[in-house]
């Protein structure tokens, strides 16, 4: 089976009404789920492009939806081995640059609530962008990543995220329209 564009979210809760389309998928929370499930979707559907949409915590960005053009893992620390924060031993793809203009998204397997403790400079934080980008890079699949700032990665992030998790859905619809994505009815 083949589909041109696959749209992936970590959770259905981020865009509940979009899940009525057969090319919209839930990949799960976290880097591992994102990488594995994105890879499985690529192998199954052979898409031309993956579009990753979802929520992120704002570090330098206060609100709205923003395109990601650079992603890395903020929770990877091998500095004791002489590597930069986020750099993976023996991997030349530790820092992934995507085409076009955009912002920096630091991905980690934690919901950031203390942005002042971030070791790396970034515009936003999430839990999936790097995993999706890495799967696409290694399979030669084009990727677009857009994130809605749902919270400010501060002490209120948990409550704010729960209140805002689905608030970006209309913005996601506009991005899909702007990218001329064909949503396929089930």
């Amino acid at each position: 089976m083949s589909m041109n564009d696959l749209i992936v979210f970590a959770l259905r809760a981020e865009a509940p009404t979009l899940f009525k389309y057969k090319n919209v998928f839930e990949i799960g929370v976290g880097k591992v789920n994102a990488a594995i499930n994105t890879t499985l979707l690529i192998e199954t559907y052979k898409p031309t492009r993956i579009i990753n949409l979802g929520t992120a915590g704002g570090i330098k960005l206060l609100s709205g939806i923003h395109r990601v053009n650079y992603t890395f893992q903020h929770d990877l620390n091998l500095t004791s081995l002489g590597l930069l924060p986020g750099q993976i031993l023996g991997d030349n793809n530790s820092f992934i640059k995507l085409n076009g203009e955009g912002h920096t998204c630091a991905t980690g397997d934690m919901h950031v609530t203390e942005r002042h403790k971030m070791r790396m400079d970034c515009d936003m934080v999430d839990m999936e962008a790097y995993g999706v980008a890495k799967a696409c890079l290694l399979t030669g699949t084009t990727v677009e990543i857009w994130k809605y700032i749902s919270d400010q990665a501060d002490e209120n992030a948990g409550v704010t995220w729960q209140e805002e998790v689905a608030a970006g859905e209309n913005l996601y619809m506009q991005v899909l329209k702007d990218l001329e994505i064909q949503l396929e009815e089930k």
Side-chain angles (χ1 to χ4, degrees):
M1 177 183 277
S2 178
M3 287 190 221
N4 283 340
D5 295 309
L6 300 185
I7 299 98
V8 298
F9 290 89
L11 297 167
R12 287 178 182 265
E14 292 175 301
T17 61
L18 278 172
F19 279 85
K20 67 183 177 184
Y21 300 103
K22 69 179 181 180
N23 58 332
V24 177
F25 297 91
E26 180 178 30
I27 56 171
V29 174
K31 296 180 297 189
V32 172
N33 285 327
I36 290 171
N37 291 321
T38 300
T39 301
L40 291 172
L41 288 169
I42 291 168
E43 288 177 355
T44 301
Y45 296 105
K46 314 282 189 259
T48 306
R49 177 172 53 174
I50 296 282
I51 297 88
N52 174 220
L53 303 170
T55 56
I59 300 294
K60 294 180 181 175
L61 303 168
L62 298 178
S63 63
I65 192 161
H66 304 277
R67 186 172 189 270
V68 173
N69 74 339
Y70 191 72
T71 186
F72 52 85
Q73 299 178 79
H74 71 78
D75 60 349
L76 184 68
N77 187 350
L78 296 176
T79 55
S80 64
L81 300 176
L83 300 176
L84 297 171
Q87 188 174 9
I88 304 165
L89 188 63
D91 187 342
N92 293 330
N93 299 310
S94 298
F95 306 96
I96 301 174
K97 173 85 170 97
L98 305 176
N99 292 327
E101 296 295 316
H103 296 278
T104 301
C105 183
T107 299
D109 285 328
M110 64 182 70
H111 196 237
V112 175
T113 59
E114 298 176 289
R115 67 160 106 192
H116 61 278
K117 290 186 177 180
M118 291 290 296
R119 297 173 296 120
M120 302 168 77
D121 186 42
C122 62
D123 298 315
M124 66 184 96
V125 291
D126 87 330
M127 298 176 72
E128 296 81 28
Y130 180 83
V132 171
K134 185 76 172 242
C136 290
L137 176 70
L138 295 179
T139 61
T141 307
T142 300
V143 64
E144 288 265 352
I145 300 175
W146 293 77
K147 297 293 177 170
Y148 168 70
I149 304 301
S150 58
D151 62 81
Q152 290 303 299
D154 59 14
E155 64 278 355
N156 300 314
V159 171
T160 306
W161 179 84
Q162 289 178 26
E163 293 170 350
E164 294 289 316
V165 65
E169 191 164 39
N170 288 334
L171 297 171
Y172 304 139
M173 292 296 290
Q174 186 60 51
V175 166
L176 295 173
K177 182 180 175 186
D178 292 347
L179 293 174
E180 300 179 355
I181 302 299
Q182 186 77 24
L183 291 169
E184 301 178 27
E185 296 284 342
K186 286 187 178 179

